[in-house]
Amino acid sequence: MSRKFTVTSLPPAGPAGTPDRESHRDSAAEILHLSGEDAKGDGNPKESSPFINSTDTEKGKEYDGKNMALFEEEMDTSPMVSSLLSGLANYTNLPQGSREHEEAENNEGGKKKPVQAPRMGTFMGVYLPCLQNIFGVILFLRLTWVVGIAGIMESFCMVFICCSCTMLTAISMSAIATNGVVPAGGSYYMISRSLGPEFGGAVGLCFYLGTTFAGAMYILGTIEILLAYLFPAMAIFKAEDASGEAAAMLNNMRVYGTCVLTCMATVVFVGVKYVNKFALVFLGCVILSILAIYAGVIKSAFDPPNFPICLLGNRTLSRHGFDVCAKLAWEGNETVTTRLWGLFCSSRFLNATCDEYFARNNHLVSPTENLWSSYLTKGVIVERQGMPSVGLADGTPIDMDHPYVFSDMTSYFTLLVGIYFPSVTGIMAGSNRSGDLRDAQKSIPTGTILAIATTSAVYISSVVLFGACIEGVVLRDKFGEAVNGNLVVGTLAWPSPWVIVIGSFFSTCGAGLQSLTGAPRLLQAISRDGIVPFLQVFGHGKANGEPTWALLLTACICEIGILIASLDEVAPILSMFFLMCYMFVNLACAVQTLLRTPNWRPRFRYYHWTLSFLGMSLCLALMFICSWYYALVAMLIAGLIYKYIEYRGAEKEWGDGIRGLSLSAARYALLRLEEGPPHTKNWRPQLLVLVRVDQDQNVVHPQLLSLTSQLKAGKGLTIVGSVLEGTFLDNHPQAQRAEESIRRLMEAEKVKGFCQVVISSNLRDGVSHLIQSGGLGGLQHNTVLVGWPRNWRQKEDHQTWRNFIELVRETTAGHLALLVTKNVSMFPGNPERFSEGSIDVWWIVHDGGMLMLLPFLLRHHKVWRKCKMRIFTVAQMDDNSIQMKKDLTTFLYHLRITAEVEVVEMHESDISAYTYEKTLVMEQRSQILKQMHLTKNEREREIQSITDESRGSIRRKNPANTRLRLNVPEETAGDSEEKPEEEVQLIHDQSAPSCPSSSPSPGEEPEGEGEADPEKVHLTWTKDKSVAEKNKGPSPVSSEGIKDFFSMKPEWENLNQSNVRRMHTAVRLNEVIVKKSRDAKLVLLNMPGPPRNRNGDENYMEFLEVLTEHLDRVMLVRGGGREVITIYS
């Protein structure tokens, strides 16, 4: 009985002839075929599809079955949900980053390895990478100096402000990162998709520059550790005197920094997999170094360290050039001078001429307090505060060749903030690695916030411990000259200072490699978006996707930071860029929260727009605190990029006065909307509501506007349209009254939108004109909301259902979504509240995700807020219902939609006699309706011939049964017109109503009751049989009776088998839906498309009636041919 027809791809048969489900998963298809316009988007067409790794659907596969025959003609564009969910088997949210390139390198020249599912949890995937990126060079090389200069109190305030800034940013970032998957680009992707390409491009490039200069800072830190603490003899440039040491050190930094940069860039170019292999080693060095510091602190509590500090008066002496911290020494019974004497005196003899300060003061070591600040100017000697010393006359020059510890720069609070802030950056490591995570939407917020809390605790405790455990003059000694040239923080470490030195060296090396790995990929992501034309060349790379050209540009920009050669001057530069990026992350979260776009559904709930604005304000304040001129330069660069992206190829529009400015702004906005369709994330239903007015120009069904208000909540575009029949000259006053009536109702129902009444010669053309011409420019509707045509069978000219079907066809042709409400009079008004219940979604075929989006929008309104959402989908015989449920649950999780999931199994079954009878009656009715256009005599002859032919075939087949009883339940038009009990038979009755009427929608009054046409054909049913049929279900007879039915119904063999299969689908689906959703407050259901062959139009309405009967509130939904919901951020 069944026929083969093309629907969608199925898995190839396995060895035993069973479907190979793994192969089915490997060939998972992209569900929606984007049109040319939709595919442009922002350079990433995948964002408009529901999944990330999607390919084109396989064509040409065959499918046997009749359960879904009602949807078969549209399977090429709206595949079965089981086919859609099979794509989840290959689901991965890997970014186009290091892991992808590493896999490409491993798979070169061989068979591609299957992609392994992400297995990393919160600890390994987010927490530890964030720790590695946050802890770095500043902690080991500058934090002790910052504490010594600023004191414990000001250092504590500095650390608290910076950590608060990153914590607030992490909260905003967690909300954005859990609002979908964040692919390559990290923060750039989040900002650009939240605030648009202009902001995204500007901030993305600034963040790229910050990451690049961070690489330069880490390399400079590496060289500083190498030359100052590990191998001082490796210095190429030697200073002839003390005054030239700083310049020589900078030249050494430039030479060695360039060499190290070249080596690191080569390693990244050869293969990023080597960087990833050593990442754990670098992380271990960081953790080991920090543990060594705390171990030293604990040890110092029981055994205070003895710092070998040499002071002359209150001046700190550098230990370079002498060994004994004394002027004189005893050798036997003789007093001799020391090497320190020789540095300050003209000769080694006791009668030599010595420096005045040296002669007047002796060395003394005693503890001091580090609670308050001690800022220094450049070139002054690092002195101990509060110590007595014999001073010199004012204006006495200081000999720079003497072994004092000099301050190398002028320090102040705002400068220290700029130097310290890079030590709290690196919070984006979790969002950038989302592809490695088992559950990114859970791990990113938890891991990032815990990492920031941990590092903040370490920094704050370090400030207190450094100030309490280390001598103040040692803290202010940036390069450890007073402690024999050792790393200052190393003096506190246990068991050896070398643990800190070696650990910090490898830590800074690893951080530099990570920066050179991440920055080129960020630039590649920006380039591939195509928003900055002159950067598009950097989107290309090696065959495996490695960004070669972007790496070359990154190395060149990084070399600029190397040539600056001073870590203290590079740090404020990258602070500006990171602060600007964090500021816009907070702004993006605040804007999304305030706009409440339908796609804004973060799984991270602990955010608020006030926190985002506080974080944004704090970032902006820190930018100007660090360096107001750097801040202005960074904002100028971002502004120029923003304007370039916004205005490239576009002309400025100017207005004249306030009104002209408003007009220009409106025109500019409309023209911007005209540029292309909205992104999937910004898609919301822009409604054209078609209402009918009565003779007094009042809206017949105000519940449609109540539903509109509940669906829109004042957001987006709403156009309420109606059609009046007649001519414009005659009916213009009626149109004005109708518009006024509709506006009053819109105001009462709190529907914010526009009203449009069209006068046309007929309803069909008027509706078509509304659909085509509604809106202005890009501000147009994308969804049509209409009520189900009540009592469509009773219309004399049958234009009601014809107009409805043409409406369905026109919305499909116009790529518009269609919402059809059945039993609209039972829909709740705005004052009503549902205290419980459910909104049931029957997801039969995937046509863009409208069925998912509508309940989400409805539940924002207080009418539906307490209704839970249930999603049902149908599994065929070859589908794995358990796997479908698991995949659907995963899909909803990534959509951030909370709903109960149930998979209903519909196995192949024989077509019941009920279905055959229903189809027979439908075809006979259709045949009769076709004869309505004939003359009276021709009509009678045609109907009589059909009836005689049917009865004759029965008599020939089974003479004993001469009466045909059609046990099809069909409700009468109303109780007021119920007939006496009659046998059900096909007759031509002069006094019967026009045609068999369906049951009127609950709460609706049937139209045309009591209007009888003496020339109509009527199918009558016994009342008892009808009631009994509804109670019994669709199987009116026993299994033995079915066999008798088959033997007595030879005319079934002549039925159109396509109609039989479609009726079978409608009957079976209705049985299941009524069983599961009889008590649901609202049922949403895929609406099948009308037949491509117009000869079956009259049957289409019957299919929909059967599909939705016995349900109170139903909304039939047809998608507009594009994705309206996405898992992306």
Side-chain angles (χ1 to χ4, degrees):
M1 189 67 66
S2 62
R3 297 180 182 178
K4 290 186 178 181
F5 49 92
T6 302
V7 283
T8 187
S9 58
L10 278 179
T18 59
D20 187 350
R21 193 160 301 280
E22 294 300 323
S23 301
H24 180 32
R25 291 176 180 174
D26 291 338
S27 62
E30 182 176 1
I31 303 309
L32 177 68
H33 301 285
L34 296 172
S35 63
E37 293 179 356
D38 292 343
K40 293 178 182 178
D42 48 12
N44 190 356
K46 289 182 179 181
E47 296 172 30
S48 297
S49 65
F51 303 110
I52 297 176
N53 293 342
S54 303
T55 56
D56 291 335
T57 307
E58 295 182 12
K59 304 288 185 181
K61 298 291 182 78
E62 299 287 333
Y63 178 75
D64 290 313
K66 48 188 173 288
N67 278 344
M68 293 296 112
L70 196 58
F71 300 91
E72 68 186 32
E73 288 190 350
E74 296 182 308
M75 286 293 183
D76 53 344
T77 57
S78 300
M80 290 296 299
V81 173
S82 58
S83 175
L84 174 85
L85 293 178
S86 66
L88 281 170
N90 279 340
Y91 170 75
T92 174
N93 53 0
L94 281 176
Q96 305 293 325
S98 57
R99 179 171 174 173
E100 187 178 63
H101 296 149
E102 179 180 347
E103 291 172 352
E105 289 182 1
N106 293 334
N107 298 332
E108 283 181 356
K111 185 177 180 180
K112 186 175 181 180
K113 298 179 181 179
V115 178
Q116 298 294 327
R119 294 297 179 189
M120 299 183 72
T122 302
F123 184 76
M124 291 295 296
V126 180
Y127 182 74
L128 291 183
C130 283
L131 285 186
Q132 182 181 6
N133 281 266
I134 295 174
F135 288 136
V137 61
I138 301 297
L139 171 64
F140 302 115
L141 297 183
R142 291 294 182 269
L143 187 57
T144 53
W145 176 73
V146 169
V147 174
I149 295 294
I152 295 177
M153 297 299 294
E154 293 187 19
S155 299
F156 180 87
C157 294
M158 183 189 313
V159 172
F160 180 78
I161 291 173
C162 294
C163 292
S164 298
C165 176
T166 54
M167 180 61 78
L168 292 173
T169 304
I171 292 173
S172 299
M173 184 201 70
S174 298
I176 299 176
T178 58
N179 189 48
V181 179
V182 180
S187 59
Y188 157 72
Y189 183 92
M190 291 188 290
I191 295 172
S192 63
R193 272 54 175 183
S194 298
L195 296 180
E198 295 88 358
F199 276 111
V203 180
L205 287 176
C206 288
F207 188 55
Y208 162 74
L209 293 175
T211 307
T212 304
F213 275 102
M217 184 188 71
Y218 291 130
I219 292 174
L220 291 175
T222 302
I223 304 304
E224 183 175 316
I225 296 172
L226 181 69
L227 296 181
Y229 308 114
L230 287 176
F231 304 105
M234 291 180 60
I236 300 175
F237 298 93
K238 307 289 185 180
E240 296 180 358
D241 52 24
S243 60
E245 288 183 357
M249 184 64 175
L250 292 180
N251 290 329
N252 287 321
M253 299 277 279
R254 293 184 180 102
V255 173
Y256 279 104
T258 303
C259 296
V260 172
L261 173 63
T262 304
C263 294
M264 288 185 175
T266 303
V267 170
V268 175
F269 175 78
V270 170
V272 75
K273 58 184 177 182
Y274 302 109
V275 180
N276 293 337
K277 287 181 179 179
F278 286 103
L280 194 60
V281 176
F282 299 142
L283 176 61
C285 293
V286 174
I287 297 176
L288 185 63
S289 301
I290 294 173
L291 293 178
I293 294 175
Y294 280 99
V297 170
I298 296 173
K299 176 180 177 296
S300 66
F302 304 99
D303 183 14
N306 182 19
F307 295 107
I309 306 170
C310 187
L311 296 176
L312 183 61
N314 64 353
R315 295 179 177 179
T316 309
L317 297 181
S318 173
R319 295 302 294 262
H320 296 297
F322 66 94
D323 50 357
V324 179
C325 184
K327 295 180 181 181
L328 303 175
W330 294 91
E331 292 183 1
N333 294 326
E334 184 179 1
T335 301
V336 298
T337 58
T338 61
R339 296 178 62 184
L340 180 61
W341 179 282
L343 295 175
F344 284 92
C345 300
S346 58
S347 67
R348 300 292 297 271
F349 299 103
L350 293 174
N351 60 353
T353 302
C354 295
D355 179 79
E356 184 178 0
Y357 189 86
F358 180 79
R360 292 183 179 185
N361 293 275
N362 292 315
H363 66 278
L364 179 66
V365 178
S366 66
T368 186
E369 294 182 353
N370 297 318
L371 193 61
W372 307 109
S373 61
S374 178
Y375 295 109
L376 303 174
T377 58
K378 184 177 181 180
V380 303
I381 300 173
V382 178
E383 299 177 345
R384 178 176 300 189
Q385 295 179 340
M387 282 200 58
S389 66
V390 180
L392 302 177
D394 293 339
T396 304
I398 298 176
D399 191 349
M400 301 296 293
D401 291 332
H402 289 162
Y404 294 122
V405 177
F406 293 95
S407 171
D408 66 330
M409 63 188 302
T410 301
S411 56
Y412 41 89
F413 179 79
T414 56
L415 174 71
L416 297 183
V417 173
I419 293 175
Y420 171 75
F421 187 80
S423 66
V424 297
T425 60
I427 62 175
M428 300 290 184
S431 62
N432 292 341
R433 296 165 181 254
S434 61
D436 299 327
L437 304 176
R438 186 185 305 114
D439 187 354
Q441 295 187 358
K442 178 181 178 182
S443 298
I444 289 177
T446 306
T448 304
I449 292 176
L450 284 179
I452 293 176
T454 303
T455 54
S456 300
V458 170
Y459 282 131
I460 291 175
S461 62
S462 297
V463 166
V464 177
L465 295 175
F466 290 166
C469 300
I470 302 178
E471 174 65 35
V473 290
V474 178
L475 291 175
R476 290 186 286 277
D477 183 5
K478 183 184 293 185
F479 300 105
E481 297 176 63
V483 286
N484 296 321
N486 291 323
L487 189 63
V488 174
V489 70
T491 60
L492 193 62
W494 182 86
S496 170
W498 288 102
V499 176
I500 298 292
V501 175
I502 296 176
S504 59
F505 176 78
F506 284 108
S507 170
T508 50
C509 283
L513 282 171
Q514 293 289 345
S515 297
L516 290 179
T517 303
R521 283 160 182 79
L522 177 59
L523 180 62
Q524 186 182 47
I526 299 173
S527 304
R528 286 182 172 178
D529 269 354
I531 58 176
V532 184
F534 64 83
L535 291 180
Q536 290 185 358
V537 64
F538 299 106
H540 306 293
K542 294 195 295 186
N544 64 347
E546 193 72 23
T548 307
W549 292 105
L551 176 62
L552 182 62
L553 179 63
T554 302
C556 294
I557 297 176
C558 194
E559 179 64 19
I560 297 175
I562 298 295
L563 294 178
I564 295 176
S566 173
L567 186 149
D568 301 317
E569 294 186 16
V570 172
I573 297 176
L574 63 98
S575 294
M576 292 300 108
F577 294 126
F578 279 120
L579 279 168
M580 181 172 292
C581 176
Y582 296 165
M583 180 178 69
F584 281 100
V585 168
N586 285 292
L587 177 62
C589 180
V591 169
Q592 293 276 39
T593 305
L594 292 176
L595 289 180
R596 295 195 303 173
T597 55
N599 191 64
W600 182 245
R601 303 183 301 276
R603 288 208 169 270
F604 181 77
R605 300 295 184 185
Y606 307 102
Y607 69 95
H608 195 267
W609 66 268
T610 54
L611 294 177
S612 300
F613 268 115
L614 179 61
M616 182 185 67
S617 303
L618 197 56
C619 290
L620 184 62
L622 282 175
M623 287 178 65
F624 284 91
I625 287 175
C626 294
S627 175
W628 64 268
Y629 47 88
Y630 277 167
L632 291 178
V633 171
M635 295 177 73
L636 178 63
I637 293 174
L640 291 176
I641 298 173
Y642 177 92
K643 288 299 180 183
Y644 172 76
I645 297 174
E646 182 181 14
Y647 289 112
R648 64 185 175 103
E651 297 180 3
K652 275 190 175 182
E653 297 291 342
W654 296 99
D656 184 13
I658 296 177
R659 183 175 178 83
L661 183 62
S662 301
L663 178 61
S664 178
R667 179 170 177 262
Y668 174 74
L670 286 173
L671 291 176
R672 287 292 301 271
L673 288 175
E674 192 92 20
E675 292 176 1
H679 194 277
T680 302
K681 298 179 303 180
N682 297 324
W683 194 96
R684 65 166 72 242
Q686 315 290 0
L687 290 180
L688 170 62
V689 186
L690 298 178
V691 298
R692 185 166 58 88
V693 295
D694 56 20
Q695 294 180 352
D696 297 327
Q697 279 71 51
N698 294 321
V699 178
V700 176
H701 294 300
Q703 291 87 352
L704 268 180
L705 293 185
S706 300
L707 178 63
T708 303
S709 175
Q710 296 158 20
L711 193 60
K712 300 291 291 182
K715 304 290 183 180
L717 172 69
T718 301
I719 301 175
V720 181
S722 184
V723 179
L724 298 181
E725 287 188 277
T727 62
F728 181 77
L729 294 178
D730 296 334
N731 296 323
H732 181 60
Q734 289 88 333
Q736 289 182 323
R737 288 198 299 270
E739 285 190 8
E740 185 178 351
S741 173
I742 293 174
R743 286 196 185 97
R744 284 198 304 268
L745 183 60
M746 291 173 65
E747 184 177 353
E749 298 293 344
K750 298 181 180 179
V751 176
K752 298 180 180 179
F754 308 96
C755 171
Q756 189 171 359
V757 176
V758 173
I759 302 174
S760 178
S761 58
N762 58 76
L763 290 176
R764 177 173 170 180
D765 290 344
V767 171
S768 179
H769 296 159
L770 274 176
I771 293 175
Q772 295 178 59
S773 61
L776 176 62
L779 194 65
Q780 291 184 336
H781 55 272
N782 55 28
T783 305
V784 177
L785 174 61
V786 66
W788 175 259
R790 301 184 309 160
N791 308 311
W792 55 272
R793 296 190 183 98
Q794 295 182 359
K795 292 296 181 181
E796 295 181 1
D797 56 1
H798 304 285
Q799 277 302 116
T800 301
W801 59 267
R802 295 186 190 276
N803 292 343
F804 178 79
I805 295 177
E806 289 305 311
L807 170 65
V808 177
R809 287 197 172 101
E810 288 176 357
T811 54
T812 304
H815 301 289
L816 303 175
L818 177 63
L819 310 179
V820 180
T821 57
K822 193 174 181 187
N823 305 338
V824 68
S825 60
M826 295 190 66
F827 276 67
N830 289 330
E832 299 181 44
R833 303 288 183 274
F834 287 129
S835 58
E836 58 181 359
S838 64
I839 301 176
D840 287 3
V841 176
W842 284 85
W843 195 23
I844 311 301
V845 296
H846 179 71
D847 58 354
M850 279 285 290
L851 283 171
M852 302 293 181
L853 187 61
L854 292 176
F856 173 79
L857 295 176
L858 283 174
R859 292 178 68 232
H860 275 69
H861 197 274
K862 49 193 173 184
V863 174
W864 306 91
R865 187 166 296 158
K866 295 185 179 180
C867 293
K868 62 183 180 180
M869 180 177 171
R870 300 192 303 177
I871 296 182
F872 299 87
T873 188
V874 176
Q876 299 295 300
M877 181 176 61
D878 294 332
D879 294 327
N880 185 339
S881 59
I882 298 177
Q883 184 63 37
M884 280 183 64
K885 183 173 182 179
K886 185 185 301 183
D887 292 342
L888 182 54
T889 304
T890 304
F891 183 42
L892 292 176
Y893 178 81
H894 287 290
L895 287 175
R896 293 92 61 203
I897 291 178
T898 303
E900 297 180 8
V901 175
E902 183 172 346
V903 177
V904 179
E905 295 184 353
M906 287 185 62
H907 301 298
E908 293 289 337
S909 62
D910 293 332
I911 299 176
S912 64
Y914 174 82
T915 301
Y916 277 108
E917 291 173 353
K918 199 81 171 175
T919 309
L920 176 62
V921 172
M922 179 187 69
E923 290 196 358
Q924 288 178 340
R925 179 188 297 120
S926 300
Q927 186 67 25
I928 292 171
L929 294 178
K930 290 178 183 178
Q931 311 306 318
M932 295 301 179
H933 301 289
L934 304 177
T935 64
K936 178 179 179 180
N937 295 332
E938 292 173 340
R939 192 182 309 153
E940 291 178 354
R941 288 196 300 270
E942 186 69 22
I943 294 174
Q944 189 62 44
S945 65
I946 296 173
T947 307
D948 293 343
E949 182 179 354
S950 299
R951 291 174 175 170
S953 60
I954 296 173
R955 294 191 184 97
R956 289 192 300 273
K957 184 72 177 180
N958 193 346
N961 296 288
T962 60
R963 301 297 298 271
L964 170 63
R965 294 178 180 266
L966 301 179
N967 294 322
V968 184
E970 189 74 32
E971 298 180 24
T972 61
D975 294 340
S976 60
E977 292 194 34
E978 291 176 1
K979 302 287 184 181
E981 183 173 323
E982 300 177 280
E983 289 187 337
V984 179
Q985 52 185 319
L986 185 63
I987 62 171
H988 178 253
D989 192 345
Q990 298 289 340
S991 62
S994 66
C995 63
S997 62
S998 66
S999 61
S1001 300
E1004 296 180 3
E1005 293 297 329
E1007 299 178 3
E1009 286 189 5
E1011 297 179 4
D1013 190 332
E1015 297 180 0
K1016 301 299 179 182
V1017 177
H1018 183 49
L1019 290 176
T1020 59
W1021 308 90
T1022 65
K1023 179 179 177 181
D1024 293 342
K1025 282 184 178 291
S1026 178
V1027 174
E1029 201 59 50
K1030 284 199 294 185
N1031 295 331
K1032 281 200 311 183
S1035 299
V1037 293
S1038 63
S1039 58
E1040 292 79 4
I1042 292 178
K1043 296 179 181 179
D1044 294 336
F1045 256 119
F1046 272 88
S1047 64
M1048 65 182 287
K1049 305 285 186 183
E1051 66 272 22
W1052 289 351
E1053 299 175 1
N1054 300 324
L1055 292 177
N1056 185 315
Q1057 295 305 313
S1058 177
N1059 287 340
V1060 173
R1061 288 188 293 110
R1062 284 175 167 79
M1063 183 63 74
H1064 180 69
T1065 300
V1067 171
R1068 290 293 310 280
L1069 276 178
N1070 180 257
E1071 291 175 3
V1072 176
I1073 295 173
V1074 170
K1075 179 180 178 181
K1076 298 286 186 180
S1077 303
R1078 180 185 296 274
D1079 299 326
K1081 301 301 182 185
L1082 177 64
V1083 176
L1084 286 88
L1085 176 66
N1086 285 116
M1087 181 178 181
R1092 294 173 182 173
N1093 183 2
R1094 291 179 180 268
N1095 294 332
D1097 282 359
E1098 58 275 6
N1099 300 332
Y1100 174 67
M1101 300 295 290
E1102 192 69 42
F1103 293 142
L1104 296 183
E1105 282 283 4
V1106 173
L1107 184 64
T1108 58
E1109 63 184 354
H1110 308 310
L1111 296 173
D1112 291 340
R1113 302 180 191 90
V1114 183
M1115 184 183 293
L1116 296 170
V1117 181
R1118 277 183 64 78
R1122 61 161 294 168
E1123 288 294 330
V1124 300
I1125 197 168
T1126 177
I1127 65 173
Y1128 281 88
S1129 170

